[in-house]
Amino acid sequence: MDAAKVAAPSHGFTKSTDPFSSPSTPYKAMCDFEVGGFSGSCTKVFGSSYGHILSHWGLVPEGHPLDLSLAVSGLFLYSLLFLYPLATFVPARESLLLAICSGSVGFSVYLIYVLKFQLNDFCVVCMSFHLCNFVMFFLAVMEFRDKSAQSEKVATQDTQVSPAAPRRSARIASQQGAEFRQRRSAM
């Protein structure tokens, strides 16, 4: 799964940083296809304004250092997720993982909408990226639930009173009461 998470955005990353491409030879993605009337063009998707979402939304000017391609953003995201198992020192790391994966799934839903209804296209690389996001979200939910269940189990074990405890308490109170009555009557 980790290899797929890095491989999918890597294809888009090589497109945006390909030193061998020139303006005279337009880029054509290896994943473009047409089979039986069904086609998909990664080239069209990578070349659209949605490929640099921050400038598309008007948050940064086109060509700005923060105008990262979705492929570069994906590499950052998946690198962060790849390092998650090593981040045992981060407090509430399960909650943080769930928040990051929730954001990535929400963004994937938006991008699937763009792909289908705005660009009217299909991109194999994009869909593998979205599939990875949905799988990571599912795993993050499972991890969060597992950690929550463990926390609840520990909390109940700490506060749980054994069934024999009330009987012992009643017996001790009865003995103390009897001793008190004996001392009082002896006076």
Side-chain angles (χ1 to χ4, degrees):
M1 184 67 175
D2 290 333
K5 291 187 293 190
V6 175
S10 295
H11 178 71
F13 179 73
T14 57
K15 179 263 171 206
S16 60
T17 59
D18 185 5
F20 303 109
S21 65
S22 68
S24 63
T25 55
Y27 173 78
K28 180 165 173 24
M30 291 178 6
C31 55
D32 289 357
F33 69 93
E34 187 168 344
V35 177
F38 184 69
S39 66
S41 174
C42 297
T43 303
K44 179 181 173 186
V45 174
F46 291 153
S48 76
S49 63
Y50 291 99
H52 290 263
I53 200 74
L54 293 180
S55 62
H56 176 79
W57 287 340
L59 298 175
V60 297
E62 200 171 311
H64 190 275
L66 291 178
D67 186 24
L68 301 174
S69 70
L70 290 178
V72 172
S73 302
L75 284 174
F76 285 135
L77 171 68
Y78 294 130
S79 297
L80 185 66
L81 293 176
F82 187 75
L83 294 174
Y84 169 77
L86 304 176
T88 56
F89 58 90
V90 176
R93 73 187 189 125
E94 294 81 9
S95 299
L96 183 61
L97 176 69
L98 185 59
I100 290 170
C101 290
S102 297
S104 71
V105 159
F107 194 58
S108 281
V109 168
Y110 167 73
L111 290 176
I112 291 170
Y113 166 80
V114 166
L115 192 60
K116 174 69 177 152
F117 298 105
Q118 301 295 317
L119 298 175
N120 298 316
D121 211 339
F122 180 81
C123 174
V124 175
V125 173
C126 298
M127 291 311 288
S128 62
F129 162 72
H130 301 314
L131 179 65
C132 286
N133 283 345
F134 284 104
V135 169
M136 285 304 300
F137 175 72
F138 174 76
L139 295 174
V141 168
M142 295 286 93
E143 175 118 355
F144 182 79
R145 291 172 95 191
D146 185 48
K147 184 64 174 182
S148 296
Q150 286 177 1
S151 297
E152 286 177 20
K153 186 177 179 182
V154 168
T156 36
Q157 285 176 349
D158 289 344
T159 59
Q160 192 174 38
V161 178
S162 73
R167 284 181 269 156
R168 270 193 307 252
S169 298
R171 188 175 62 237
I172 292 171
S174 172
Q175 287 173 350
Q176 289 174 344
E179 291 171 3
F180 176 74
R181 283 192 294 279
Q182 282 178 349
R183 280 184 282 182
R184 213 169 107 199
S185 63
M187 289 178 154

